Amino acid sequence: MSNWKKRLGAGGLALLALILAAVGGSAHPAPEQDVLGEAKIPAGPYVALTFDDGPRQATTSVLLDGLAQRGVHATFFVIGENVEGNELLLQRMEGEGHQIGLHTYHHKPLDQLNAAGFYAEVDSLRATLTALLGREEFMLRPPYGMMNAANQARAAAPIILWSVDPEDWSDRNTARQVSAITADVKDGDIILLHDIYAESVDTALQVVDALMAQGYHFVTVEQLFAIRGRTPENGKIYRRLPPGD
């Protein structure tokens, strides 16, 4: 049995509780009950909101405040050199039900690294997060989405890319970014943003408000796997998790 299958199996009830908490707030109807009186996960649509390159105190803390107000959980792919000095922020993320993942230690393209370089970038960050959070299983997002076959085989983690990218790094135009996301999003999409820009934080919260009004539920990538009944596989690349896939 894979480590991720063990993690999802052992944490299944906790994940279900987080999912129901994420979708059972005032913005959504209460979870339905089956004939045995047990809560059932709403049918969807679901989307995973993800953030790269943080944490950054000035922006990530504002984002966490906004997500908490909305009862929304997200996934943060962090850079190792940004963890130092922001340990409490990472612990806050974990404590508030967000998922934390690997985005390398120095944001180096993983398709350009040999084995030693890969392990220095990925395993060093994994060790840092393990020491801070007390667990070893983290999903990986390669910088720029770039990965070669050799390092894909070395990943020892599911590789999470994205299906909706407003390229928020290219400008500071919140209105454009919100429009690009809401015009393109579908059930099971993984949205890419960066929590290091104030404008991107505004984009994220406006997107949450707009899509929740359309009936979307926001969950972490890990929760999305659980909802779809799928076990993430180490070394496999995922861009979205549509229903019935």
Side-chain angles (χ1 to χ4, degrees):
M1 181 182 294
S2 71
N3 288 336
W4 275 102
K5 191 168 184 179
K6 291 177 182 177
R7 174 173 166 79
L8 291 181
L13 292 177
L15 274 173
L16 179 58
L18 284 173
I19 292 165
L20 293 176
V23 302
S26 59
H28 298 292
E32 298 178 0
Q33 304 290 315
D34 65 16
V35 293
L36 298 178
E38 297 178 347
K40 296 191 297 183
I41 297 173
Y46 289 93
V47 67
L49 189 59
T50 69
F51 298 91
D52 287 4
D53 293 1
R56 179 170 291 172
Q57 180 65 38
T59 48
T60 306
S61 59
V62 174
L63 175 60
L64 291 175
D65 289 343
L67 295 177
Q69 290 168 3
R70 293 159 174 81
V72 164
H73 297 121
T75 302
F76 292 83
F77 291 97
V78 302
I79 295 176
E81 61 186 358
N82 289 340
V83 171
E84 184 176 356
N86 287 311
E87 291 87 353
L88 293 179
L89 200 56
L90 269 291
Q91 291 172 335
R92 177 186 173 185
M93 284 180 193
E94 182 95 344
E96 293 183 357
H98 302 289
Q99 181 183 352
I100 297 171
L102 310 170
H103 200 45
T104 75
Y105 209 92
H106 300 99
H107 205 264
K108 292 184 177 180
L110 294 181
D111 65 328
Q112 300 177 18
L113 300 181
N114 60 18
F118 176 87
Y119 293 132
E121 283 295 310
V122 175
D123 283 6
S124 59
L125 175 54
R126 183 184 283 116
T128 296
L129 293 180
T130 294
L132 179 63
L133 303 175
R135 57 187 178 82
E136 299 179 354
E137 300 299 326
F138 300 95
M139 295 181 179
L140 169 66
R141 172 167 286 166
Y144 316 106
M146 300 169 73
M147 174 78 81
N148 59 32
N151 284 334
Q152 183 176 340
R154 297 181 180 113
I159 300 165
I160 308 300
L161 299 185
W162 55 85
S163 52
V164 178
D165 178 10
E167 298 186 349
D168 59 324
W169 50 266
S170 67
D171 61 25
R172 301 294 183 269
N173 190 330
T174 293
R176 181 199 66 77
Q177 295 167 18
V178 171
S179 178
I181 294 171
T182 55
D184 192 38
V185 73
K186 300 176 292 297
D187 190 7
D189 273 336
I190 299 173
I191 300 172
L192 168 63
L193 285 167
H194 298 78
D195 58 319
I196 59 173
Y197 308 123
E199 294 82 1
S200 297
V201 171
D202 291 339
T203 292
L205 299 179
Q206 289 184 35
V207 164
V208 168
D209 291 341
L211 293 184
M212 287 179 74
Q214 297 178 30
Y216 276 86
H217 306 302
F218 284 83
V219 292
T220 68
V221 173
E222 187 174 0
Q223 289 168 354
L224 190 55
F225 272 100
I227 289 167
R228 300 301 188 215
R230 297 179 59 182
T231 301
E233 299 177 28
N234 289 349
K236 185 171 181 178
I237 294 174
Y238 300 91
R239 291 177 173 83
R240 62 188 304 263
L241 291 165
D245 186 31

